Amino acid sequence: MFQPRRGFSCHLAWFMLQTTLYASWLLGLFPFTFDSRRRQLKRSRWLLLYGFILHSCAMCLVLSSYLAVRQRKKKNAFDRNPLLELIYLRFAHTVFFSIGLLILMNVWKSNTILKIANELLNLECQVKDHLTLKNCPNFNCFLINKCVTALGQIIIAVLFCLWQENSYPKILKILCCLPLLGCQLIIMHFHTEIILVYRYVWLLNETLQDSSKLSCSRIRALTSLYDRLLQLSETGLATNDTQLILLLTIYLIGNTVQIFFLIVLGVSMNQRYIYLMASPQLLLNFWDFWLNVVVCDLTEKCGDRTSKVLKQFTDLQHHDEELERSLNEFAWLCTHRKFRFQLCGLFPINYNMGFQIIITSFLYVLYLVQFDFMNL
């Protein structure tokens, strides 16, 4: 799949795709097996049950660890600022609920995920006949960035779990990170799906640009491919819109709480070393959030570019009426149906929304500082 692969970045992206797949299988988050005879994926109830039981036990372990830590003496920061403790507790409850719902939704919508995965397999087999295959630099770049960022988030979570003061052995503390790992893999599935759609649209645009003359049958094949990519992106977004809303909520609240935490520790308690310890996680949080925004915005712009590429053919005079009709149908499809990523049909995922969420995070920090200024 995903040929051609030349160069270090292509091989690294391919390795990370395989790692994500096998990790998802291992944790029961991709409960499908490959039918070599039909060359299709099929759902495995045993993998589905295994993943549900595994993550249910991990969530119970996280809850017991959290309660064990809560029974111990309060942290100095919470003694210094009761508002910080209140916000931190609400954030912890939100994260616990959101991760549990993410894993539950992954089980509930497994049939739809199966259809999306099989459609991607079918597309990969069919695009070789209609598109000029090239290496897509953005595909490799954003896939590697997402995998490295997810790995960084997991490493920081493991270190945080090991740092917690409870009587659990280290292996159980590490197992407490399984829900977070599952959350990262679920979001990675959506990220991979969108970046694959972007890759196919990019290849379609490159094929149109490199072709000085196109036949009527090929134009119809490209129109059908474009329509399938539109349906695939719409199905993927409808399947993951709840998960994405929860994810964006966690990013918004988490970044706000973490910055306020740094202000209390660094300014009020004069523990400046905390900046060096917490800054990498804060940067990873912002970068991880921004990657999800950029991939959706990039796909939208690549889809809009298809209309501009088609214009070089529609502006020409064609003696073949059938070819001209096919080009007009393709242009009509690109004009009236575009790649748009809107959560619940209301909130677009693009640069503007990304900037607004980042600005909102800092505004909430200012509100907290103004509201609790006397305790700082």
Side-chain angles (χ1 to χ4, degrees):
M1 289 177 63
F2 315 130
Q3 295 287 342
R5 294 194 300 276
R6 301 185 184 92
F8 175 75
S9 63
C10 299
H11 288 286
L12 183 59
W14 173 246
F15 171 75
M16 288 183 170
L17 277 176
Q18 288 182 310
T19 303
T20 302
L21 176 62
Y22 291 130
S24 301
W25 267 331
L26 182 64
L27 298 181
L29 295 172
F30 194 74
F32 313 115
T33 56
F34 185 70
D35 188 345
S36 57
R37 184 175 59 85
R38 298 174 56 193
R39 300 191 64 80
Q40 291 281 292
L41 294 170
K42 61 180 182 180
R43 193 172 70 160
S44 171
R45 293 182 179 178
W46 290 109
L47 278 175
L48 202 64
L49 182 62
Y50 158 74
F52 181 76
I53 294 175
L54 176 65
H55 288 282
S56 298
C57 294
M59 293 294 288
C60 292
L61 184 63
V62 170
L63 182 60
S64 63
S65 175
Y66 170 76
L67 294 176
V69 172
R70 286 286 298 159
Q71 290 176 356
R72 290 178 174 268
K73 185 180 178 180
K74 289 184 178 181
K75 298 179 181 179
N76 292 331
F78 293 160
D79 292 336
R80 179 70 177 78
N81 195 301
L83 178 62
L84 178 61
E85 180 183 12
L86 180 63
I87 296 174
Y88 176 78
L89 290 177
R90 296 295 179 268
F91 173 65
H93 297 160
T94 303
V95 171
F96 184 83
F97 169 77
S98 299
I99 292 179
L101 190 57
L102 278 172
I103 295 171
L104 186 62
M105 294 288 288
N106 188 67
V107 175
W108 181 30
K109 296 188 176 182
S110 57
N111 280 326
T112 309
I113 297 172
L114 175 63
K115 293 178 182 178
I116 293 173
N118 281 327
E119 179 66 10
L120 287 171
L121 283 175
N122 292 333
L123 282 173
E124 187 62 30
C125 296
Q126 296 174 12
V127 295
K128 300 175 183 178
D129 301 328
H130 306 298
L131 300 180
T132 303
L133 297 184
K134 296 180 178 180
N135 286 322
C136 181
N138 283 332
F139 173 79
N140 301 326
C141 175
F142 285 107
L143 188 62
I144 293 171
N145 269 277
K146 182 64 177 178
C147 289
V148 171
T149 305
L151 182 61
Q153 296 271 30
I154 294 167
I155 291 174
I156 290 175
V158 170
L159 294 176
F160 177 77
C161 289
L162 292 175
W163 172 75
Q164 282 186 334
E165 297 178 359
N166 55 37
S167 58
Y168 287 7
K170 290 184 178 180
I171 184 65
L172 288 182
K173 290 182 178 180
I174 294 175
L175 288 177
C176 288
C177 299
L178 274 182
L180 179 62
L181 175 58
C183 177
Q184 290 290 341
L185 288 173
I186 291 171
I187 299 303
M188 187 67 195
H189 295 167
F190 174 75
H191 185 93
T192 304
E193 176 196 337
I194 298 303
I195 200 66
L196 281 173
V197 170
Y198 161 76
R199 173 179 175 267
Y200 293 135
V201 178
W202 182 84
L203 287 175
L204 190 149
N205 292 341
E206 292 295 310
T207 301
L208 288 173
Q209 280 189 325
D210 295 343
S211 302
S212 57
K213 187 176 181 181
L214 292 172
S215 63
C216 179
S217 59
R218 194 172 189 187
I219 287 293
R220 288 179 176 175
L222 294 179
T223 306
S224 175
L225 176 61
Y226 191 87
D227 182 59
R228 290 173 65 183
L229 292 173
L230 281 167
Q231 293 178 4
L232 187 61
S233 65
E234 292 169 357
T235 304
L237 183 63
T239 305
N240 295 278
D241 58 353
T242 304
Q243 293 93 313
L244 288 173
I245 290 174
L246 292 173
L247 178 70
L248 295 176
T249 304
I250 291 174
Y251 281 131
L252 176 62
I253 302 176
N255 292 332
T256 304
V257 171
Q258 190 168 6
I259 295 174
F260 190 57
F261 206 107
L262 292 178
I263 292 174
V264 173
L265 289 176
V267 178
S268 301
M269 303 179 65
N270 202 27
Q271 297 179 6
R272 303 299 171 85
Y273 66 89
I274 197 67
Y275 294 142
L276 297 176
M277 297 175 59
S279 295
Q281 183 182 7
L282 189 60
L283 292 175
L284 278 176
N285 287 342
F286 277 110
W287 184 240
D288 194 14
F289 159 74
W290 192 247
L291 284 174
N292 294 306
V293 173
V294 169
V295 167
C296 294
D297 192 88
L298 192 68
T299 306
E300 287 185 1
K301 291 180 178 178
C302 192
D304 294 339
R305 182 167 166 264
T306 306
S307 301
K308 299 177 182 178
V309 175
L310 271 177
K311 193 172 179 61
Q312 67 181 347
F313 296 100
T314 55
D315 288 345
L316 299 176
Q317 295 293 331
H318 300 283
H319 299 289
D320 189 346
E321 293 184 0
E322 192 68 22
L323 176 61
E324 187 173 359
R325 186 181 299 111
S326 299
L327 286 170
N328 289 333
E329 289 176 356
F330 196 178
W332 181 88
L333 177 65
C334 295
T335 303
H336 290 78
R337 293 188 61 193
K338 298 176 183 272
F339 289 93
R340 292 294 180 264
F341 298 92
Q342 292 183 326
L343 299 177
C344 299
L346 298 173
F347 311 105
I349 307 177
N350 50 33
Y351 286 149
N352 291 333
M353 187 274 292
F355 280 118
Q356 287 173 2
I357 289 183
I358 292 175
I359 293 171
T360 302
S361 296
F362 286 103
L363 285 176
Y364 278 133
V365 173
L366 291 177
Y367 298 154
L368 288 172
V369 170
Q370 291 176 346
F371 176 78
D372 203 46
F373 182 77
M374 299 304 295
N375 289 327
L376 294 178

